[in-house]
Amino acid sequence: MPLTLSAENNEHITIDAATIAAGRLFAPSRLVVSGLLGSSKAFFLARAHKATGKSIVAALASEDAAAGFFEDAVFFLGKENVIYYPSTEVLPFEGQSLHQDIAAARVEALFRLMEATGPFFMVTACHNLMERVIPVHALKDKKLRLTAGAEHPMETVISSLEGLGYTRVSMVEEHGEMSVRGGILDVFPSGFDLPLRIEFFGDIVESIRSFEISAQRSVKKLDEAVCMPASVAAYKQAHTGAVRERLIERSDSLGLTRPAWEPLYARLRDGSAPAIPELLPLYYGRLDDMFDYFGGSEVVIAQVEAELTDAAFKEFEDDVKSAEGKQIEKKRFFVDPKELYLDANETASRIAQFPVIRLEGLKGVGSSVSCESNIGLRQEITTKKGADAQLFAPLALRVNNWLEQGWRVYLTAHNSGQAERTLELLEGYELNPARTNGPDALERRGRGFFLATGALSTGFILPDEMLAIISEEEVFGERVKKRAPPSKKLEAFLLDLRDLAEGDRIVHAHHGIGLYRGLKRLTIDNVENDFLLLEYRDGDKLYLPVWRMDLVSKYHGVEGKEPALDKLGAQGWIKTKGKVKKEVEKMAGELLRLYAERRAAVGFAFSKPDRTFAEFEAGFEYDETPDQARAIEDTLKDMQEPLVMDRLVCGDVGYGKTEVAIRAAFKAALDGKQTAILVPTTVLAQQHYLTFKRRLAPFPVVVEALSRFKPPKAQKEIVQRVKQGSVDIIIGTHRLLQSDVAFKDLGLIVIDEEHRFGVRQKEKFKEFRKSVDCLTLTATPIPRTLHMSLSGVRDLSIINTPPEDRLAVKTSVIQFDEAEITAAIERELKRGGQVFFVHNRIESLGRLAEFLTRAVPHARVASAHGQMNEVELEKKMLGFVSREYDVLLSTAIIESGLDIPAANTIIINRADRFGL
């Protein structure tokens, strides 16, 4: 059946062949549509785009909303058919360069708009439509096309890439970088998911291959590669007197003297100025706006949640005015805002030149589209509990009812792996969906049940269409949206060396013990790089490139005893390694005996994971990383053995250790065993409690927390229930180790950050390990624990892969600057996040709190340090976790293992006082 809606004059318009043929769909200049819920907005616009053959620009109120809508549009149209233009994530006049991945994505979007030969579908945040951009004529044809087998002199290619804003580095890891080694050129162009390796034979391009950054392994052979500019701000025209004239003219209008603008001009002249869009008017004079890139296409502007986009246009205009006032107050140079941004009225005028669809919220009576949500299904699933609870029973009932009425029903799975898992889980419900993909939902008609591969934010029901689409989140629970994969920079190595100071002894795998003499910046073959300077006996020096830091480690030896330095090129280190090898072999024999004794201990053998466990796994909101999946598999395998498990899971904060514990605890609960989760702090206990409760909500598993936040009466009641066996999982601090706590049938103990417990608690842990399966989680294992794990006395799982939704970390090293700090906090709060502010001096913490309150008056600031009353400190930390505060001003005590996903910005005052 066709989809019916009404125009502003209440005329009903239907999306069907007759309407399209008559050209009536977008006949009114403004079409108002209400009644659409969730992703049905993307469904409606995708259908209109396909049916009418017109280009559609979907504008949303925020970057988060745009990212979600883009995902929905991709589901219905396919990724290759949707253009996404991301926000800069930089405040007006902040003077920061864009993240390289964002810069590359914006370049790709502009080129796709500029070169579109047919109708396009674009998604962006509405404030991006207010930004002026590089003129179309300046960007047109500014790209480099390379063909395998063709003649492309290497020097010419390198020169061209430098002109397009590519930075020369030693090893390519991010968009906009290139590296030259002999006859091989590595480059990471905009529009590519992986970097390219181009091999030259003389002046001929012999081959072009994409490759993985981490493994440096070729993935796919290409016949051709097109390299677009690294950034619209990185491609500059030749520096002429016009740049200087514009700079001086603007400085005069601001009343700035020569010292205020001359340093900037010097940097512009020698090419060292930051590649930021705010300087584009100095190069090009008048800029174009986004609407100029729409060309001659028949474009329809769609304001999604129109009430919110109207407010967002005005809010961005106010932000620009506010930022302008601050720059004038501080007497800083900045380009005239009129040259960089459209105001709200100008934007409205530009939008009015196109047909407009306003998708508005529900208006009650008279809503033009009959649309329903799946919230009822989600509630039925989350409240379905009991011994025989089946997660998919409510889903099966609904789907069968719809099918009996002749509907078509889609269930989504975000990737093929999840689709396979879902098919397995549906087998017991007599549901046999046909496999398909998202775009099929726009085309197919008639009855049927389909499993569609693709990510969708929410499902919806269109009774008039006899169509129901159910997102996997409405069945399994919310999952975290994937973002760009993280950069594979050297943070992992730096974490190992963070306590290293100049003069410390350091061990090189091939050359032995030397002295660390700091980081040095050297230029070799016209490429600047960082090197570790190591000094050996007789003053011999070794410069080690930072990308080979895996060869060195900090020396850990007997306290108070300094080892002699090795001699570069001598045999001393080889002999030392030989002696150590013999000692290790001797120790291995002793450890083998200890390991054999441990293997002889009898433990409980848990059953293999069943369908209920598979349903629980499917509700995990992330995609498991390979390391995490391996750790879960190893833990469950250990639990199935009739031996006592003693496994250590090591991984950084936020890498997914807790999910390993949750799966193990759920398995124990399914087999009628209790689990005790021991954590070092009350705050961490509360965080784990909330996490476990949320994950286990759809299942009949009872979770409780025991800490001093509970009143004595409640503690006594929980202890009694644990003893009776009516609590499946109990989470607490050392309070769980007190004599009044007894278990009816304890099957698993999970210890989080064991090194933070005292000696008495650790002795208690040893008793547990003799008879109960034990899982230890840690981000920073003590040497003895790690030694036991590596030597085989304890089994070890390492989670070393960050979750896929993490963006590369952007680090800025600056002097204390109120404007920069205020901008960083404002930027984070504007995107709904939280901020850590680390200041490692308790005596001056109060003055900084006053400064933050003055600089960002609307931010809720909490102070925390180790000398505070313990109860007060924990309340502050818990308040930050529960988002009662926006900024946590603290000493280094925040390294206690809390995982706060909303805290995306950390400001470290006097970072020079911390170790590397």
Side-chain angles (χ1 to χ4, degrees):
M1 291 181 66
L3 189 62
T4 302
L5 46 117
S6 65
E8 229 173 10
N9 59 5
N10 292 324
E11 176 195 2
H12 286 275
I13 296 178
T14 306
I15 299 183
D16 61 10
T19 303
I20 295 165
R24 291 175 61 244
L25 181 59
F26 296 122
S29 59
R30 293 212 324 167
L31 185 67
V32 178
V33 181
S34 59
L36 293 168
L37 301 173
S39 58
S40 66
K41 301 181 185 74
F43 174 82
F44 165 69
L45 290 179
R47 171 178 285 184
H49 168 66
K50 294 273 285 187
T52 63
K54 292 182 183 290
S55 296
I56 290 183
V57 176
L60 291 101
S62 68
E63 181 65 17
D64 284 346
F69 192 89
F70 168 70
E71 194 172 69
D72 291 342
V74 165
F75 180 85
F76 293 116
L77 292 170
K79 189 173 182 179
E80 67 281 357
N81 297 317
V82 185
I83 300 171
Y84 185 60
Y85 188 70
S87 300
T88 62
E89 295 194 1
V90 174
L91 297 176
F93 309 119
E94 190 179 357
Q96 291 281 344
S97 57
L98 307 191
H99 190 287
Q100 285 174 284
D101 290 342
I102 292 174
R106 286 168 73 93
V107 167
E108 181 190 6
L110 291 179
F111 265 96
R112 288 182 66 182
L113 288 172
M114 192 167 52
E115 298 177 345
T117 55
F120 58 82
F121 194 104
M122 173 181 157
V123 179
T124 191
C126 60
H127 64 260
N128 292 325
L129 297 178
M130 302 178 74
E131 295 177 1
R132 297 189 189 276
V133 290
I134 187 171
V136 176
H137 70 81
L139 197 61
K140 202 171 185 62
D141 300 324
K142 298 299 188 294
K143 57 185 179 182
L144 177 64
R145 187 182 300 273
L146 300 174
T147 306
E151 183 176 341
H152 298 284
M154 190 173 186
E155 295 78 9
T156 305
V157 171
I158 293 170
S159 176
S160 298
L161 289 173
E162 287 174 342
L164 293 174
Y166 286 80
T167 305
R168 195 162 172 175
V169 296
S170 56
M171 182 177 176
V172 169
E173 294 177 307
E174 292 183 339
H175 283 103
E177 294 181 340
M178 65 175 175
S179 171
V180 182
R181 297 188 312 281
I184 297 175
L185 169 67
D186 290 348
V187 61
F188 203 157
S190 304
F192 285 83
D193 295 328
L194 292 173
L196 305 179
R197 178 156 292 155
I198 303 165
E199 296 186 51
F200 289 83
F201 184 77
D203 288 343
I204 304 297
V205 171
E206 196 168 38
S207 68
I208 304 173
R209 299 174 186 271
S210 59
F211 68 93
E212 294 177 354
I213 296 171
S214 54
Q216 295 288 300
R217 183 176 56 215
S218 294
V219 175
K220 184 179 179 182
K221 191 172 182 178
L222 305 175
D223 295 325
E224 187 179 73
V226 177
C227 299
M228 293 178 278
S231 163
V232 291
Y235 184 80
K236 307 181 182 75
Q237 64 184 22
H239 297 297
T240 63
V243 175
R244 189 172 187 273
E245 288 176 15
R246 293 182 187 121
L247 185 62
I248 295 173
E249 184 180 347
R250 175 59 179 162
S251 297
D252 289 343
S253 70
L254 291 170
L256 301 177
T257 57
R258 187 185 187 97
W261 60 262
E262 195 166 47
L264 175 60
Y265 177 67
R267 296 170 69 190
L268 293 172
R269 187 179 55 217
D270 63 23
S272 63
I276 58 177
E278 290 169 15
L279 296 179
L280 285 175
L282 297 179
Y283 301 119
Y284 301 107
R286 184 189 176 281
L287 302 183
D288 285 347
D289 55 40
M290 285 296 300
F291 303 95
D292 292 317
Y293 276 80
F294 300 159
S297 305
E298 292 187 82
V299 175
V300 177
I301 308 293
Q303 288 184 239
V304 183
E305 299 290 349
E307 305 95 325
L308 298 179
T309 58
D310 289 343
F313 284 130
K314 185 67 174 67
E315 182 183 353
F316 186 74
E317 181 182 43
D318 293 342
D319 288 344
V320 172
K321 288 179 180 177
S322 174
E324 179 185 11
K326 290 177 182 177
Q327 296 298 311
I328 292 173
E329 182 183 336
K330 295 184 180 299
K331 292 183 168 48
R332 290 182 173 177
F333 176 85
F334 66 102
V335 174
D336 188 345
K338 292 179 181 178
E339 296 180 5
L340 288 169
Y341 306 106
L342 303 173
D343 61 30
N345 289 331
E346 289 173 317
T347 307
S349 297
R350 290 292 271 148
I351 290 175
Q353 296 171 11
F354 300 87
V356 176
I357 301 179
R358 290 176 61 86
L359 301 183
E360 298 187 347
L362 289 175
K363 291 185 177 180
V365 179
S367 291
S368 56
V369 179
S370 175
C371 181
E372 301 170 15
S373 75
N374 290 318
I375 189 170
L377 172 63
R378 181 65 194 144
Q379 288 173 339
E380 288 174 29
I381 289 173
T382 55
T383 55
K384 181 108 177 132
K385 294 185 178 180
D388 60 345
Q390 289 185 299
L391 186 67
F392 279 169
L395 171 68
L397 180 62
R398 287 200 176 206
V399 170
N400 285 323
N401 286 339
W402 282 324
L403 292 177
E404 287 174 6
Q405 298 173 44
W407 286 40
R408 68 188 195 280
V409 184
Y410 289 83
L411 174 64
T412 73
H414 69 275
N415 60 26
S416 57
Q418 179 70 359
E420 292 294 339
R421 179 186 288 175
T422 302
L423 283 174
E424 290 177 14
L425 295 174
L426 290 174
E427 286 177 1
Y429 298 87
E430 298 182 0
L431 294 174
N432 300 300
R435 292 285 297 273
T436 186
N437 55 34
D440 175 69
L442 288 177
E443 309 293 343
R444 189 183 291 271
R445 297 289 182 270
R447 177 184 180 279
F449 180 37
F450 310 96
L451 180 62
T453 304
L456 195 67
S457 60
T458 61
F460 56 90
I461 303 166
L462 292 174
D464 293 343
E465 290 256 320
M466 300 177 72
L467 168 68
I469 298 182
I470 306 163
S471 75
E472 68 174 89
E473 293 189 358
E474 290 163 337
V475 176
F476 298 112
E478 185 178 356
R479 62 180 295 273
V480 176
K481 306 298 185 295
K482 291 173 67 173
R483 297 186 74 182
S487 170
K488 306 297 183 183
K489 292 284 186 188
L490 296 161
E491 281 87 358
F493 298 131
L494 290 173
L495 282 172
D496 294 337
L497 300 169
R498 59 185 164 191
D499 297 324
L500 197 63
E502 287 193 34
D504 285 351
R505 277 166 166 71
I506 194 166
V507 184
H508 190 290
H510 304 317
H511 303 296
I513 300 172
L515 295 176
Y516 173 65
R517 293 301 188 194
L519 283 169
K520 305 296 178 185
R521 189 84 172 162
L522 300 179
T523 301
I524 299 174
D525 292 336
N526 298 321
V527 179
E528 270 195 310
N529 277 303
D530 289 320
F531 292 80
L532 274 73
L533 174 57
L534 311 182
E535 183 181 324
Y536 287 85
R537 194 193 308 165
D538 300 333
D540 292 347
K541 294 180 179 180
L542 174 68
Y543 289 92
L544 180 73
V546 290
W547 66 88
R548 296 313 313 272
M549 284 173 69
D550 55 317
L551 293 175
V552 297
S553 59
K554 186 177 179 181
Y555 173 79
H556 296 282
V558 180
E559 191 174 345
K561 185 178 180 181
E562 298 289 359
L565 300 182
D566 285 298
K567 175 74 175 172
L568 273 181
Q571 296 296 308
W573 178 241
I574 297 173
K575 292 178 180 177
T576 301
K577 287 199 290 186
K579 290 179 184 178
V580 171
K581 185 178 179 181
K582 290 181 181 178
E583 290 296 324
V584 168
E585 288 173 352
K586 183 179 177 182
M587 186 187 297
E590 297 175 4
L591 290 173
L592 189 62
R593 177 177 55 80
L594 291 171
Y595 190 70
E597 291 176 1
R598 180 184 148 222
R599 296 286 290 181
V602 179
F604 179 79
F606 289 89
S607 62
K608 291 185 177 181
D610 56 8
R611 178 179 296 278
T612 304
F613 189 84
E615 290 176 354
F616 173 71
E617 284 187 311
F620 186 41
E621 60 263 47
Y622 295 88
D623 289 333
E624 294 95 342
T625 63
D627 295 344
Q628 188 184 31
R630 198 176 304 114
I632 292 168
E633 183 183 346
D634 291 344
T635 300
L636 294 175
K637 188 177 178 182
D638 284 354
M639 292 175 69
Q640 293 165 39
E641 297 288 337
L643 305 168
V644 178
M645 177 179 75
D646 190 7
R647 178 166 290 278
L648 173 70
V649 177
C650 183
D652 206 350
V653 175
Y655 276 36
K657 301 186 299 295
T658 304
E659 180 64 19
V660 181
I662 291 175
R663 303 265 179 111
F666 184 68
K667 188 74 206 70
L670 289 179
D671 284 10
K673 292 284 186 177
Q674 291 173 294
T675 299
I677 316 284
L678 281 152
V679 297
T681 68
T682 312
V683 178
L684 207 51
Q686 184 68 8
Q687 189 174 42
H688 277 328
Y689 172 67
L690 296 173
T691 303
F692 273 72
K693 285 281 285 184
R694 176 180 54 79
R695 280 286 283 119
L696 294 163
F699 298 89
V701 177
V702 180
V703 183
E704 286 290 356
L706 193 60
S707 70
R708 66 168 158 292
F709 280 153
K710 300 274 188 183
K713 185 179 178 181
Q715 288 190 36
K716 190 174 180 180
E717 181 192 342
I718 292 171
V719 168
Q720 185 63 29
R721 289 169 58 207
V722 170
K723 191 173 183 179
Q724 294 170 351
S726 59
V727 174
D728 299 302
I729 300 171
I730 182 72
I731 303 168
T733 59
H734 57 275
R735 173 71 179 84
L736 284 179
L737 302 176
Q738 293 180 6
S739 57
D740 65 326
V741 179
F743 296 86
K744 182 181 181 181
D745 192 3
L746 183 64
L748 174 68
I749 179 170
V750 179
I751 305 169
D752 197 359
E753 300 294 356
E754 182 179 358
H755 67 280
R756 293 174 61 86
F757 288 91
V759 175
R760 287 169 58 191
Q761 285 86 30
K762 289 177 182 175
E763 289 301 315
K764 190 84 170 177
F765 297 158
K766 287 181 182 177
E767 295 177 24
F768 280 124
R769 286 195 173 101
K770 292 177 182 177
S771 57
V772 180
D773 282 5
C774 184
L775 182 66
T776 304
L777 314 176
T778 184
T780 51
I782 56 176
R784 180 176 175 275
T785 302
L786 190 57
H787 175 259
M788 291 175 70
S789 300
L790 293 173
S791 57
V793 176
R794 301 175 68 179
D795 294 314
L796 173 68
S797 294
I798 297 177
I799 302 178
N800 201 35
T801 309
E804 289 191 25
D805 66 304
R806 285 197 173 187
L807 281 171
V809 175
K810 182 176 179 180
T811 304
S812 299
V813 181
I814 60 170
Q815 292 184 334
F816 190 96
D817 185 295
E818 180 176 340
E820 294 273 10
I821 292 170
T822 302
I825 296 174
E826 291 277 13
R827 181 172 61 250
E828 187 58 57
L829 300 189
K830 193 169 282 292
R831 63 181 183 184
Q834 293 172 283
V835 178
F836 285 118
F837 196 116
V838 181
H839 176 75
N840 222 21
R841 291 291 183 272
I842 294 175
E843 61 272 14
S844 52
L845 212 60
R847 291 200 301 273
L848 261 178
E850 292 174 4
F851 158 73
L852 290 173
T853 304
R854 185 183 71 253
V856 195
H858 59 278
R860 299 165 297 173
V861 181
S863 298
H865 58 80
Q867 293 181 13
M868 291 175 69
N869 174 282
E870 206 170 40
V871 175
E872 184 187 358
L873 173 61
E874 287 175 342
K875 283 183 178 178
K876 289 284 180 70
M877 299 287 272
L878 269 179
F880 190 65
V881 170
S882 58
R883 306 202 66 169
E884 294 172 18
Y885 303 108
D886 302 310
V887 181
L888 181 64
L889 171 63
S890 79
T891 55
I893 59 167
I894 60 168
E895 56 184 6
S896 62
L898 288 178
D899 181 17
I900 305 176
N904 297 303
T905 296
I906 183 168
I907 299 169
I908 303 173
N909 190 31
R910 291 306 303 270
D912 54 301
R913 290 181 174 176
F914 292 81
L916 181 63

